């Protein structure tokens, strides 16, 4: 029986990053993964494949809408859907292969199969039981559906099935205007599907900055997505080729409405996944929402068993899991692992991108905090205009008295990258003036961040 310092269960971004950090810290490490490839949901059926499809379809959009105006004449490209999926598979393969290389490079054993935990200090994979001083559960999450909605991954699909559709649907109904619904909805709208998003709340991306919610919805509508807001989906009736989505508007809850679709994408959130691990018999405590309960150092109530990522509390984001993965490795190695949950960015990879970090204006005002808002529109950014991306803005939220940056929301070109300047500023306790006094190269999108910071003081220059 092999003996390890740490066995990590699950090779998604939380698990594999944790394994690498454990190995770097001198711990004898193994990772258990039952899929044929490493990388978990993110690399195999999540973040990475969806970004490949978003990229390809954005190129199509550019060719259809902007090429001629830039003097690039000729027929718009036609879509070879099978080739686009092959490109996506190639991207997945490069990334999962890269993780496998990193496991070998760091001398981490990949125990192939699905794990269970017969007792603290033991991990069973197949017929073999491995001894280990520590266990890190990084088993992730799975899509959660709705009552009355049966997913077959053909007509009624989750994000997994949506990446693999045999053909581009004429009509797609997306249930849920969250991150998955809007990213994949954008992909299919650009491919020519008629996409209708049915959302329970009155705004897209619940919880996000209000200005961004409004601007984002308007931009997506311009791109052809239709929205039915304030609508609770009650069920889906599916045949072999079509489906009907039943919903009721909140303002008339007794009237059943119907909408037809060739494909229905259920994007109503994800739930923690820990099936088959044997948590019940181990007595591992769960939260009310079914997540594994941990303390501030990712310890469960069972000594020697830790948990990180989507299976515990907090936003279900790959980068949050990665941070926890590194930090828990440091805790196990006797160091001081820490994650600043106040500075975890969120990004939606549509065009334009949307990103947020820290507190929202509304949440701060509800707490009674006095805040200043600095806003700058990308229409005033020369680079954005040069590439047809003048939609959107940078919004900085700062303390009215101290000028300290408390949060930000961006919608616009490169928003997913721009947000990190603000993350670093927040980690260093910077003020808006600190950002405003920092020279930003011209012409870059990042000037819009500086202008928003200037707008917190004596005023932006280009507005
Ligand atoms: P979500 O929680 O972001 O959005 C789900 C939406 O469905 C909500 O707007 C909710 O109000 C709506 N909804 C729920 N029940 C409904 C009903 N009966 N009728 C109509 N609408 C209903 O969940 P999503 O988009 O499925 O994403 C799951 C997780 O994956 C999230 O935690 C997300 O952050 C993460 N993710 C992150 C990505 C990124 O960072 N770019 C990309 C994809 C997923």
């Amino acid at each position: 029986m092999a003996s390890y310092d740490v066995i990590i269960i699950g090779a998604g971004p939380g698990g594999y990053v944790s394994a690498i950090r454990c190995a770097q810290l001198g711990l004898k490490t193994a990772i258990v993964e039952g899929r044929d490839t490493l990388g978990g949901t993110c690399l195999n059926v999540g973040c990475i494949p969806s970004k490949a499809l978003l990229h390809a379809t954005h190129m199509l959009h550019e060719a259809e809408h902007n090429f001629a105006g830039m003097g690039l004449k000729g027929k718009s490209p036609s879509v070879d859907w099978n080739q686009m999926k092959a490109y996506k598979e190639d991207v997945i393969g490069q990334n999962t292969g890269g993780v496998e290389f990193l496991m070998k490079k760091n001398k981490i054993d990949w125990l192939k199969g699905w794990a269970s935990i017969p007792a603290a200090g033991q991990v069973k994979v197949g017929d073999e039981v491995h001894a280990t001083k520590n266990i890190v559960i990084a088993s992730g999450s799975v899509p959660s559906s709705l009552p009355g909605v049966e997913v077959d991954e053909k007509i009624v699909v989750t994000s997994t099935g949506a990446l693999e559709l045999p053909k581009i649907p004429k009509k797609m109904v997306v249930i849920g205007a969250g991150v998955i619904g809007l990213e994949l909805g954008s992909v299919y709208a650009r491919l020519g599907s008629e996409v209708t998003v049915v959302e329970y709340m009155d705004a897209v991306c619940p919880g996000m900055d209000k200005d961004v919610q409004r601007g984002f919805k308007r931009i997506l509508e311009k791109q052809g997505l239709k929205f039915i807001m304030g609508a609770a989906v009650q069920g889906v009736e599916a045949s072999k080729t079509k489906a009907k989505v039943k919903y009721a508007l909140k303002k008339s809850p007794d009237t059943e409405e119907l909408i037809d679709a060739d494909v229905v994408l259920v994007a109503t959130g994800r739930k923690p996944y820990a099936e088959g691990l044997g948590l019940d018999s181990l007595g591992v405590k769960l939260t009310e929402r079914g997540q594994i309960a941990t303390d501030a150092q990712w310890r469960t109530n069972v000594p020697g068993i830790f948990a990180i990522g989507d299976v515990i509390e907090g936003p279900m984001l790959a980068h949050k899991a990665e941070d926890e993965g590194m930090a828990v490795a440091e805790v196990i190695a006797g160091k001081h692992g820490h994650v600043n949950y106040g500075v975890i960015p969120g990004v939606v990879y549509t065009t334009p991108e949307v990103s947020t970090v820290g507190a929202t204006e509304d949440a701060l005002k509800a707490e009674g905090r006095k805040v200043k808002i600095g806003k700058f529109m990308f229409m005033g950014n020369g680079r954005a205009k040069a590439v047809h991306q003048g939609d959107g803005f940078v919004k900085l939220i700062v303390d009215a008295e101290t000028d300290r940056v408390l949060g930000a929301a961006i919608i616009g070109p490169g928003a997913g990258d721009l947000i990190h300047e603000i993350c670093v500023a927040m980690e260093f306790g910077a003020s808006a003036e600190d950002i405003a006094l920092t020279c930003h190269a011209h012409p870059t999108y990042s000037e819009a961040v500086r202008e928003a910071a200037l707008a917190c003081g004596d005023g932006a220059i280009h507005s």
Side-chain angles (χ1 to χ4, degrees):
M1 186 161 83
S3 182
Y4 293 97
D5 293 315
V6 192
I7 294 183
I8 290 157
I9 299 174
Y16 86 71
V17 166
S18 189
I20 293 171
R21 181 57 101 224
C22 285
Q24 287 171 335
L25 295 172
L27 301 168
K28 187 168 163 45
T29 308
I31 192 158
V32 192
E33 176 54 59
R35 275 183 210 267
D36 293 339
T37 49
L38 300 172
T41 298
C42 172
L43 271 65
N44 288 285
V45 289
C47 324
I48 297 298
S50 60
K51 260 75 277 171
L53 294 184
L54 280 158
H55 174 67
T57 56
H58 174 59
M59 295 290 112
L60 175 66
H61 177 93
E62 288 293 285
E64 286 172 344
H65 297 272
N66 291 327
F67 272 20
M70 292 188 289
L72 300 168
K73 298 280 172 73
K75 266 206 236 147
S76 288
S78 61
V79 175
D80 179 341
W81 178 227
N82 285 333
Q83 178 58 35
M84 197 180 284
K85 287 192 289 183
Y87 149 67
K88 176 204 68 172
E89 287 306 314
D90 183 51
V91 170
I92 295 172
Q94 286 179 37
N95 280 275
T96 57
V99 175
E100 195 168 341
F101 164 78
L102 289 173
M103 294 300 105
K104 286 190 187 129
K105 182 179 162 203
N106 286 285
K107 301 191 173 42
I108 296 159
D109 291 342
W110 174 6
L111 309 174
K112 294 185 185 179
W114 300 102
S116 61
I117 310 174
Q122 294 181 2
V123 173
K124 189 170 177 218
V125 185
D127 294 330
E128 219 172 322
V129 177
H130 304 265
T132 180
K133 290 184 194 133
N134 300 282
I135 297 169
V136 178
I137 301 172
S139 49
S141 61
V142 288
S144 64
S145 189
L146 295 169
V149 180
E150 206 166 307
V151 171
D152 60 12
E153 294 296 10
K154 289 191 174 79
I155 301 294
V156 184
V157 300
T158 65
S159 50
T160 306
L163 296 168
E164 277 303 318
L165 294 180
K167 58 178 194 207
I168 298 162
K170 279 211 176 80
K171 279 187 178 187
M172 175 182 255
V173 169
V174 176
I175 310 177
V179 189
I180 292 181
L182 298 183
E183 286 186 357
L184 290 175
S186 287
V187 164
Y188 283 98
R190 291 174 197 164
L191 288 169
S193 303
E194 189 187 299
V195 177
T196 306
V197 184
V198 185
E199 165 60 47
Y200 179 75
M201 306 297 279
D202 298 318
V204 302
C205 295
M208 220 182 237
D209 178 272
K210 286 238 162 60
D211 290 346
V212 168
Q213 287 178 328
R214 274 193 292 267
F216 192 23
K217 181 163 170 273
R218 220 174 303 130
I219 289 169
L220 292 171
E221 280 169 337
K222 264 206 278 178
Q223 294 175 4
L225 278 86
K226 293 195 182 108
F227 288 90
I228 302 173
M229 306 303 289
V233 169
Q234 293 164 332
V236 175
E237 268 170 29
S239 71
K240 282 211 168 97
T241 52
K242 292 227 176 291
K244 273 188 198 310
V245 178
K246 289 187 279 181
Y247 65 93
L249 293 170
K250 279 194 278 184
K251 58 183 185 209
S252 51
D254 298 329
T255 314
E256 187 181 275
E257 313 268 355
L258 284 176
I259 177 167
D260 290 324
D262 300 307
V263 168
V264 178
L265 165 61
V266 186
T268 49
R270 299 179 61 88
K271 58 182 180 194
Y273 178 78
E275 225 133 279
L277 292 181
L279 299 187
D280 245 12
S281 41
L282 283 165
V284 171
K285 275 203 189 122
L286 303 183
T287 67
E288 273 175 15
R289 300 178 59 198
Q291 302 137 321
I292 297 178
T294 58
D295 69 9
Q297 292 190 306
W298 307 282
R299 291 186 176 87
T300 69
N301 61 311
V302 178
I305 303 183
F306 299 79
I308 58 164
D310 284 9
V311 81
I312 69 168
E313 275 181 293
M316 289 185 169
L317 296 170
H319 44 283
K320 174 258 194 188
E322 289 182 35
D323 278 25
E324 289 173 345
M326 283 191 275
V328 79
E330 281 154 21
V331 169
I332 290 169
K335 295 171 176 280
H336 300 282
H338 176 71
V339 174
N340 180 359
Y341 288 101
V343 186
I344 294 185
V347 181
V348 192
Y349 297 88
T350 43
T351 304
E353 290 180 348
V354 172
S355 62
T356 56
V357 68
T360 61
E361 179 184 357
D362 282 353
L364 289 164
K365 285 186 174 161
E367 276 172 27
R369 291 278 290 266
K370 287 212 171 72
V371 294
K372 271 190 300 190
I373 303 297
K375 203 167 168 187
F376 185 77
M377 309 301 286
F378 274 102
M379 269 320 283
N381 179 274
R383 179 71 179 279
K385 276 198 295 218
V387 298
H388 305 110
Q389 297 232 29
D391 274 341
F393 55 83
V394 177
K395 175 174 173 178
L396 270 190
I397 304 129
V398 309
D399 188 286
E401 275 148 34
T402 64
D403 197 39
R404 186 176 176 151
V405 180
L406 302 175
I410 306 178
I411 177 163
D417 290 297
L418 295 181
I419 197 75
H420 296 96
E421 171 177 2
I422 299 159
C423 295
V424 173
M426 287 174 69
E427 286 285 3
F428 280 79
S431 62
E433 190 180 26
D434 290 323
I435 298 176
L437 289 174
T438 304
C439 183
H440 285 62
H442 175 76
T444 60
Y445 307 136
S446 74
E447 288 172 285
V449 175
R450 184 193 202 180
E451 292 269 24
L454 283 163
C456 294
D458 294 331
I461 302 297
H462 296 88
S463 65

